[in-house]
Amino acid sequence: MGYICTPEIDNLKPVTILAIESSCDETSASVCVDGKILSNFIANQKVHEQYGGVVPELASRAHMQNIVPVADAAIKQAGIDLAHIDAIAFTQAPGLIGSLLVGAQFAKSLALALNKPLIAVHHMQAHVLANLINEQDKPDFPFLCLTVSGGHTQIVLANSPLDLKVIGETIDDAAGEAFDKTAKLLGLPYPGGPLIDKYAKEGNPQAFKFAEPQIPGLNFSFSGLKTSVLYFLQKQNTEFVQQHLQDLCASVQHTIIQILLKKLKKAVKETGVKNVCIAGGVSANSGLRNALTETGKNLGWRTFIPKFEYCTDNAAMIAITAHYKFLNQEFSTLDISPTARAEW
Ligand code: KG4
Ligand code: ZN
């Protein structure tokens, strides 16, 4: 199957993009017109809760059930119909391969049926560009973005929408994994991040001290923290954990935030860039949001935090990234395949 014809760019005509996100356990579709998000429909998959983590096979099946109604809802919510769509975008990588295949196949089929171009988007680039969704308050270039999700922890230097460079990343667990794995040790269900956030609000962040890694440069490590929480809890009984749950959550959250902010401050110092954003599922954490705002005030940074719905996985971030790729004429062929891992 060859190339889909590159569309003529008509500067007077608004560009309408339908975007699909299906990299993990959220099925999402979004419509954006000239970079303005008109809809962002997200179907969460509750089926994984009982297993304490995402079951890839079940995620793919749920995407299969959700994808058509979710895309339909996004189109209706935006008040457009199929005839208005100028391009179809989808998450090409990284993610669970079965989940990615469902979104990719749907997007390719629709592109073929409508004879419209296809735009492949990198999920982690899209998390960064979620910060460009808010027209009223978006960062100027260059900016730094701390991207913290279930699978990644990165510091990205953004020179322009499509010129993004990873300058630091985790060498083991991601920040989201640190939340979810310690939550599991505390007996909390998956995903534990939002629950740690909730209990931490009532607790003392200084109550317990957990290990902070000493990693050189701008890279992160979270596996030591998890082990230090594990060793500490092995010496306690269940009653202790129940009685001190709020303090334990507050202390774990505080340690994770300290690790993140220490490297972010170092990145600002090294690059001289003082426009600072956060992105990804963990950027929904209220402690991290407050700490970033506070640090920004103290150190003279301009800080940017996406709305909650654009922090965790969503198709609006795929749509805004695709908008810039459309303007740059970056289209894909119909033989493109998703990949579970992808460098950038
Ligand atoms: O970006 P995301 O939705 O999916 C991935 O691309 O991985 O991130 C999911 C991660 C999970 O680890 C989840 O526990 C974490 O984001 N998360 C939070 C909060 N909300 C979601 N972690 C801490 N506090 C939160 N409020
Ligand atoms: Zn994500």
mmCIF file of all heavy atoms in Angstrom, residues 23-26 123-124 127 148-152 175-177 179-180 190-197 253 280-286 308 311-313, ligand 1:
data_model
loop_
_atom_site.group_PDB
_atom_site.id
_atom_site.type_symbol
_atom_site.label_atom_id
_atom_site.label_comp_id
_atom_site.label_asym_id
_atom_site.label_seq_id
_atom_site.Cartn_x
_atom_site.Cartn_y
_atom_site.Cartn_z
ATOM 1 N N SER A 23 -2.577 3.578 23.877
ATOM 2 C CA SER A 23 -1.280 2.935 24.165
ATOM 3 C C SER A 23 -1.303 2.023 25.372
ATOM 4 O O SER A 23 -0.490 1.124 25.474
ATOM 5 C CB SER A 23 -0.201 4.001 24.351
ATOM 6 O OG SER A 23 -0.506 4.781 25.483
ATOM 7 N N CYS A 24 -2.243 2.264 26.311
ATOM 8 C CA CYS A 24 -2.248 1.443 27.526
ATOM 9 C C CYS A 24 -3.671 1.011 27.862
ATOM 10 O O CYS A 24 -4.246 0.199 27.157
ATOM 11 C CB CYS A 24 -1.577 2.211 28.658
ATOM 12 S SG CYS A 24 -1.254 1.189 30.103
ATOM 13 N N ASP A 25 -4.254 1.577 28.905
ATOM 14 C CA ASP A 25 -5.590 1.120 29.303
ATOM 15 C C ASP A 25 -6.647 2.217 29.221
ATOM 16 O O ASP A 25 -7.691 2.114 29.852
ATOM 17 C CB ASP A 25 -5.558 0.506 30.707
ATOM 18 C CG ASP A 25 -5.081 1.493 31.761
ATOM 19 O OD1 ASP A 25 -4.423 2.489 31.393
ATOM 20 O OD2 ASP A 25 -5.367 1.274 32.942
ATOM 21 N N GLU A 26 -6.379 3.263 28.449
ATOM 22 C CA GLU A 26 -7.407 4.278 28.185
ATOM 23 C C GLU A 26 -7.674 4.311 26.690
ATOM 24 O O GLU A 26 -6.720 4.405 25.913
ATOM 25 C CB GLU A 26 -6.931 5.665 28.615
ATOM 26 C CG GLU A 26 -7.519 6.168 29.901
ATOM 27 C CD GLU A 26 -6.616 5.900 31.085
ATOM 28 O OE1 GLU A 26 -5.402 5.859 30.891
ATOM 29 O OE2 GLU A 26 -7.150 5.716 32.187
ATOM 30 N N HIS A 123 3.925 8.916 21.773
ATOM 31 C CA HIS A 123 3.148 9.172 22.984
ATOM 32 C C HIS A 123 3.864 10.133 23.959
ATOM 33 O O HIS A 123 3.221 11.017 24.551
ATOM 34 C CB HIS A 123 2.899 7.811 23.662
ATOM 35 C CG HIS A 123 2.078 7.868 24.891
ATOM 36 N ND1 HIS A 123 0.698 7.867 24.864
ATOM 37 C CD2 HIS A 123 2.423 7.926 26.203
ATOM 38 C CE1 HIS A 123 0.243 7.914 26.109
ATOM 39 N NE2 HIS A 123 1.269 7.954 26.940
ATOM 40 N N MET A 124 5.185 9.984 24.121
ATOM 41 C CA MET A 124 5.898 10.808 25.100
ATOM 42 C C MET A 124 6.069 12.253 24.602
ATOM 43 O O MET A 124 6.056 13.193 25.390
ATOM 44 C CB MET A 124 7.272 10.202 25.434
ATOM 45 C CG MET A 124 7.179 8.833 26.068
ATOM 46 S SD MET A 124 5.988 8.762 27.432
ATOM 47 C CE MET A 124 6.727 9.862 28.618
ATOM 48 N N HIS A 127 2.756 13.870 25.401
ATOM 49 C CA HIS A 127 2.604 14.299 26.802
ATOM 50 C C HIS A 127 3.222 15.699 26.990
ATOM 51 O O HIS A 127 2.629 16.563 27.627
ATOM 52 C CB HIS A 127 3.301 13.312 27.745
ATOM 53 C CG HIS A 127 2.408 12.208 28.246
ATOM 54 N ND1 HIS A 127 1.200 12.445 28.861
ATOM 55 C CD2 HIS A 127 2.553 10.857 28.235
ATOM 56 C CE1 HIS A 127 0.640 11.293 29.215
ATOM 57 N NE2 HIS A 127 1.435 10.305 28.831
ATOM 58 N N VAL A 148 6.361 12.762 33.657
ATOM 59 C CA VAL A 148 6.331 11.692 34.668
ATOM 60 C C VAL A 148 5.080 10.842 34.472
ATOM 61 O O VAL A 148 3.973 11.299 34.710
ATOM 62 C CB VAL A 148 6.376 12.293 36.097
ATOM 63 C CG1 VAL A 148 7.797 12.482 36.561
ATOM 64 C CG2 VAL A 148 5.631 13.624 36.207
ATOM 65 N N SER A 149 5.288 9.603 34.022
ATOM 66 C CA SER A 149 4.116 8.753 33.769
ATOM 67 C C SER A 149 4.350 7.375 34.371
ATOM 68 O O SER A 149 5.294 7.170 35.139
ATOM 69 C CB SER A 149 3.865 8.657 32.262
ATOM 70 O OG SER A 149 4.870 7.883 31.665
ATOM 71 N N GLY A 150 3.477 6.421 34.003
ATOM 72 C CA GLY A 150 3.594 5.066 34.546
ATOM 73 C C GLY A 150 4.795 4.327 33.981
ATOM 74 O O GLY A 150 5.326 3.414 34.602
ATOM 75 N N GLY A 151 5.234 4.706 32.784
ATOM 76 C CA GLY A 151 6.328 3.985 32.146
ATOM 77 C C GLY A 151 7.581 4.820 31.931
ATOM 78 O O GLY A 151 8.631 4.274 31.584
ATOM 79 N N HIS A 152 7.495 6.131 32.107
ATOM 80 C CA HIS A 152 8.625 7.007 31.794
ATOM 81 C C HIS A 152 8.815 8.098 32.844
ATOM 82 O O HIS A 152 7.852 8.532 33.474
ATOM 83 C CB HIS A 152 8.413 7.707 30.437
ATOM 84 C CG HIS A 152 8.425 6.771 29.283
ATOM 85 N ND1 HIS A 152 7.338 6.008 28.950
ATOM 86 C CD2 HIS A 152 9.400 6.454 28.400
ATOM 87 C CE1 HIS A 152 7.639 5.264 27.899
ATOM 88 N NE2 HIS A 152 8.882 5.509 27.544
ATOM 89 N N ALA A 175 8.563 7.274 37.724
ATOM 90 C CA ALA A 175 7.975 7.888 38.919
ATOM 91 C C ALA A 175 6.592 7.278 39.209
ATOM 92 O O ALA A 175 6.238 7.021 40.366
ATOM 93 C CB ALA A 175 7.861 9.394 38.722
ATOM 94 N N GLY A 176 5.806 7.020 38.156
ATOM 95 C CA GLY A 176 4.481 6.418 38.335
ATOM 96 C C GLY A 176 4.581 5.019 38.937
ATOM 97 O O GLY A 176 3.778 4.632 39.785
ATOM 98 N N GLU A 177 5.610 4.282 38.487
ATOM 99 C CA GLU A 177 5.828 2.935 39.053
ATOM 100 C C GLU A 177 6.194 3.034 40.522
ATOM 101 O O GLU A 177 5.785 2.195 41.324
ATOM 102 C CB GLU A 177 6.991 2.254 38.323
ATOM 103 C CG GLU A 177 6.591 1.525 37.065
ATOM 104 C CD GLU A 177 7.838 0.945 36.388
ATOM 105 O OE1 GLU A 177 8.680 1.740 35.937
ATOM 106 O OE2 GLU A 177 7.938 -0.283 36.329
ATOM 107 N N PHE A 179 5.180 5.276 42.600
ATOM 108 C CA PHE A 179 3.911 5.473 43.306
ATOM 109 C C PHE A 179 3.132 4.157 43.389
ATOM 110 O O PHE A 179 2.677 3.757 44.455
ATOM 111 C CB PHE A 179 3.054 6.523 42.575
ATOM 112 C CG PHE A 179 3.303 7.936 43.040
ATOM 113 C CD1 PHE A 179 4.032 8.822 42.258
ATOM 114 C CD2 PHE A 179 2.799 8.389 44.242
ATOM 115 C CE1 PHE A 179 4.264 10.124 42.672
ATOM 116 C CE2 PHE A 179 3.015 9.694 44.675
ATOM 117 C CZ PHE A 179 3.758 10.566 43.887
ATOM 118 N N ASP A 180 2.975 3.489 42.242
ATOM 119 C CA ASP A 180 2.111 2.300 42.201
ATOM 120 C C ASP A 180 2.688 1.131 43.000
ATOM 121 O O ASP A 180 1.960 0.404 43.673
ATOM 122 C CB ASP A 180 1.874 1.864 40.740
ATOM 123 C CG ASP A 180 1.115 2.931 39.959
ATOM 124 O OD1 ASP A 180 0.454 3.774 40.589
ATOM 125 O OD2 ASP A 180 1.185 2.920 38.713
ATOM 126 N N TYR A 190 -4.528 -1.014 42.620
ATOM 127 C CA TYR A 190 -3.955 -0.367 41.429
ATOM 128 C C TYR A 190 -4.986 0.528 40.756
ATOM 129 O O TYR A 190 -6.157 0.145 40.697
ATOM 130 C CB TYR A 190 -3.494 -1.439 40.432
ATOM 131 C CG TYR A 190 -2.949 -0.842 39.158
ATOM 132 C CD1 TYR A 190 -1.618 -0.479 39.059
ATOM 133 C CD2 TYR A 190 -3.799 -0.608 38.066
ATOM 134 C CE1 TYR A 190 -1.132 0.100 37.900
ATOM 135 C CE2 TYR A 190 -3.313 -0.036 36.907
ATOM 136 C CZ TYR A 190 -1.983 0.312 36.834
ATOM 137 O OH TYR A 190 -1.503 0.892 35.701
ATOM 138 N N PRO A 191 -4.652 1.684 40.203
ATOM 139 C CA PRO A 191 -3.348 2.328 40.300
ATOM 140 C C PRO A 191 -3.226 3.105 41.606
ATOM 141 O O PRO A 191 -4.117 3.876 41.969
ATOM 142 C CB PRO A 191 -3.340 3.275 39.097
ATOM 143 C CG PRO A 191 -4.781 3.601 38.863
ATOM 144 C CD PRO A 191 -5.594 2.443 39.374
ATOM 145 N N GLY A 192 -2.095 2.915 42.305
ATOM 146 C CA GLY A 192 -1.950 3.465 43.649
ATOM 147 C C GLY A 192 -1.629 4.951 43.699
ATOM 148 O O GLY A 192 -1.861 5.596 44.727
ATOM 149 N N GLY A 193 -1.102 5.516 42.590
ATOM 150 C CA GLY A 193 -0.702 6.930 42.597
ATOM 151 C C GLY A 193 -1.783 7.876 43.111
ATOM 152 O O GLY A 193 -1.551 8.635 44.068
ATOM 153 N N PRO A 194 -2.984 7.840 42.520
ATOM 154 C CA PRO A 194 -4.025 8.768 42.976
ATOM 155 C C PRO A 194 -4.409 8.550 44.447
ATOM 156 O O PRO A 194 -4.763 9.497 45.147
ATOM 157 C CB PRO A 194 -5.221 8.446 42.061
ATOM 158 C CG PRO A 194 -4.620 7.798 40.857
ATOM 159 C CD PRO A 194 -3.398 7.083 41.331
ATOM 160 N N LEU A 195 -4.294 7.290 44.948
ATOM 161 C CA LEU A 195 -4.658 7.014 46.346
ATOM 162 C C LEU A 195 -3.586 7.541 47.301
ATOM 163 O O LEU A 195 -3.907 8.101 48.355
ATOM 164 C CB LEU A 195 -4.856 5.508 46.554
ATOM 165 C CG LEU A 195 -6.106 4.964 45.872
ATOM 166 C CD1 LEU A 195 -6.134 3.450 45.886
ATOM 167 C CD2 LEU A 195 -7.360 5.510 46.551
ATOM 168 N N ILE A 196 -2.320 7.395 46.920
ATOM 169 C CA ILE A 196 -1.247 7.976 47.752
ATOM 170 C C ILE A 196 -1.465 9.486 47.839
ATOM 171 O O ILE A 196 -1.373 10.089 48.910
ATOM 172 C CB ILE A 196 0.144 7.644 47.162
ATOM 173 C CG1 ILE A 196 0.410 6.141 47.308
ATOM 174 C CG2 ILE A 196 1.241 8.484 47.832
ATOM 175 C CD1 ILE A 196 1.855 5.716 47.268
ATOM 176 N N ASP A 197 -1.790 10.099 46.705
ATOM 177 C CA ASP A 197 -2.075 11.537 46.643
ATOM 178 C C ASP A 197 -3.183 11.891 47.650
ATOM 179 O O ASP A 197 -3.054 12.825 48.451
ATOM 180 C CB ASP A 197 -2.524 11.865 45.204
ATOM 181 C CG ASP A 197 -2.611 13.359 44.926
ATOM 182 O OD1 ASP A 197 -2.433 14.147 45.863
ATOM 183 O OD2 ASP A 197 -2.867 13.723 43.761
ATOM 184 N N GLN A 253 5.334 10.180 49.086
ATOM 185 C CA GLN A 253 5.088 11.215 48.063
ATOM 186 C C GLN A 253 6.125 12.333 48.156
ATOM 187 O O GLN A 253 6.662 12.783 47.138
ATOM 188 C CB GLN A 253 3.675 11.773 48.241
ATOM 189 C CG GLN A 253 3.331 12.855 47.249
ATOM 190 C CD GLN A 253 1.863 13.229 47.298
ATOM 191 O OE1 GLN A 253 1.013 12.395 47.050
ATOM 192 N NE2 GLN A 253 1.564 14.470 47.616
ATOM 193 N N GLY A 280 2.306 14.188 31.918
ATOM 194 C CA GLY A 280 2.189 12.764 32.222
ATOM 195 C C GLY A 280 1.298 12.526 33.429
ATOM 196 O O GLY A 280 0.975 13.462 34.173
ATOM 197 N N GLY A 281 0.910 11.265 33.631
ATOM 198 C CA GLY A 281 -0.046 10.902 34.681
ATOM 199 C C GLY A 281 0.321 11.419 36.059
ATOM 200 O O GLY A 281 -0.546 11.901 36.799
ATOM 201 N N VAL A 282 1.598 11.358 36.421
ATOM 202 C CA VAL A 282 2.008 11.773 37.765
ATOM 203 C C VAL A 282 1.916 13.298 37.931
ATOM 204 O O VAL A 282 1.867 13.806 39.051
ATOM 205 C CB VAL A 282 3.435 11.242 38.081
ATOM 206 C CG1 VAL A 282 3.899 11.672 39.454
ATOM 207 C CG2 VAL A 282 3.466 9.714 37.981
ATOM 208 N N SER A 283 1.831 14.038 36.823
ATOM 209 C CA SER A 283 1.674 15.494 36.957
ATOM 210 C C SER A 283 0.271 15.848 37.442
ATOM 211 O O SER A 283 -0.019 17.004 37.742
ATOM 212 C CB SER A 283 2.021 16.228 35.660
ATOM 213 O OG SER A 283 1.117 15.916 34.639
ATOM 214 N N ALA A 284 -0.607 14.826 37.572
ATOM 215 C CA ALA A 284 -1.915 15.052 38.207
ATOM 216 C C ALA A 284 -1.761 15.091 39.730
ATOM 217 O O ALA A 284 -2.699 15.451 40.446
ATOM 218 C CB ALA A 284 -2.888 13.943 37.812
ATOM 219 N N ASN A 285 -0.587 14.719 40.241
ATOM 220 C CA ASN A 285 -0.382 14.661 41.697
ATOM 221 C C ASN A 285 -0.405 16.062 42.319
ATOM 222 O O ASN A 285 0.379 16.937 41.936
ATOM 223 C CB ASN A 285 0.965 13.972 41.982
ATOM 224 C CG ASN A 285 1.221 13.835 43.463
ATOM 225 O OD1 ASN A 285 1.813 14.687 44.081
ATOM 226 N ND2 ASN A 285 0.737 12.748 44.030
ATOM 227 N N SER A 286 -1.279 16.239 43.321
ATOM 228 C CA SER A 286 -1.461 17.589 43.866
ATOM 229 C C SER A 286 -0.201 18.077 44.582
ATOM 230 O O SER A 286 0.128 19.263 44.515
ATOM 231 C CB SER A 286 -2.675 17.653 44.776
ATOM 232 O OG SER A 286 -2.595 16.651 45.740
ATOM 233 N N PHE A 308 -6.066 18.624 34.485
ATOM 234 C CA PHE A 308 -6.045 17.211 34.879
ATOM 235 C C PHE A 308 -6.317 16.256 33.712
ATOM 236 O O PHE A 308 -5.649 15.259 33.548
ATOM 237 C CB PHE A 308 -7.074 16.940 35.981
ATOM 238 C CG PHE A 308 -6.586 17.342 37.336
ATOM 239 C CD1 PHE A 308 -7.058 18.484 37.953
ATOM 240 C CD2 PHE A 308 -5.626 16.584 37.991
ATOM 241 C CE1 PHE A 308 -6.594 18.865 39.198
ATOM 242 C CE2 PHE A 308 -5.155 16.955 39.249
ATOM 243 C CZ PHE A 308 -5.643 18.095 39.845
ATOM 244 N N CYS A 311 -3.330 15.420 31.668
ATOM 245 C CA CYS A 311 -2.145 14.844 32.338
ATOM 246 C C CYS A 311 -2.074 13.345 32.091
ATOM 247 O O CYS A 311 -1.095 12.827 31.578
ATOM 248 C CB CYS A 311 -2.206 15.108 33.843
ATOM 249 S SG CYS A 311 -1.912 16.820 34.263
ATOM 250 N N THR A 312 -3.118 12.615 32.491
ATOM 251 C CA THR A 312 -3.141 11.170 32.247
ATOM 252 C C THR A 312 -3.428 10.945 30.758
ATOM 253 O O THR A 312 -3.725 11.900 30.021
ATOM 254 C CB THR A 312 -4.208 10.488 33.131
ATOM 255 O OG1 THR A 312 -5.381 11.260 33.085
ATOM 256 C CG2 THR A 312 -3.751 10.386 34.573
ATOM 257 N N ASP A 313 -3.336 9.689 30.305
ATOM 258 C CA ASP A 313 -3.421 9.426 28.864
ATOM 259 C C ASP A 313 -4.721 9.951 28.246
ATOM 260 O O ASP A 313 -5.805 9.725 28.774
ATOM 261 C CB ASP A 313 -3.274 7.919 28.611
ATOM 262 C CG ASP A 313 -1.853 7.472 28.876
ATOM 263 O OD1 ASP A 313 -0.972 8.340 29.001
ATOM 264 O OD2 ASP A 313 -1.625 6.250 28.940
HETATM 265 O O1 KG4 B 1 0.568 9.050 31.686
HETATM 266 P P1 KG4 B 1 -0.228 7.945 32.283
HETATM 267 O O2 KG4 B 1 -1.721 8.112 32.372
HETATM 268 O O3 KG4 B 1 0.037 6.596 31.537
HETATM 269 C C1 KG4 B 1 1.295 6.234 31.063
HETATM 270 O O4 KG4 B 1 1.650 6.700 29.931
HETATM 271 O O5 KG4 B 1 1.994 5.520 31.815
HETATM 272 O O6 KG4 B 1 0.373 7.708 33.757
HETATM 273 C C2 KG4 B 1 -0.137 6.737 34.621
HETATM 274 C C3 KG4 B 1 0.574 6.872 35.979
HETATM 275 C C4 KG4 B 1 0.236 5.755 36.955
HETATM 276 O O7 KG4 B 1 1.436 5.264 37.505
HETATM 277 C C5 KG4 B 1 -0.610 6.457 38.011
HETATM 278 O O8 KG4 B 1 -0.508 5.895 39.316
HETATM 279 C C6 KG4 B 1 -0.015 7.845 37.990
HETATM 280 O O9 KG4 B 1 0.199 8.102 36.612
HETATM 281 N N1 KG4 B 1 -0.908 8.856 38.560
HETATM 282 C C7 KG4 B 1 -0.641 9.511 39.710
HETATM 283 C C8 KG4 B 1 -1.746 10.364 39.960
HETATM 284 N N2 KG4 B 1 -2.656 10.196 38.941
HETATM 285 C C9 KG4 B 1 -2.109 9.271 38.089
HETATM 286 N N3 KG4 B 1 0.422 9.439 40.530
HETATM 287 C C10 KG4 B 1 0.409 10.231 41.612
HETATM 288 N N4 KG4 B 1 -0.624 11.069 41.943
HETATM 289 C C11 KG4 B 1 -1.699 11.173 41.131
HETATM 290 N N5 KG4 B 1 -2.695 11.999 41.441
#
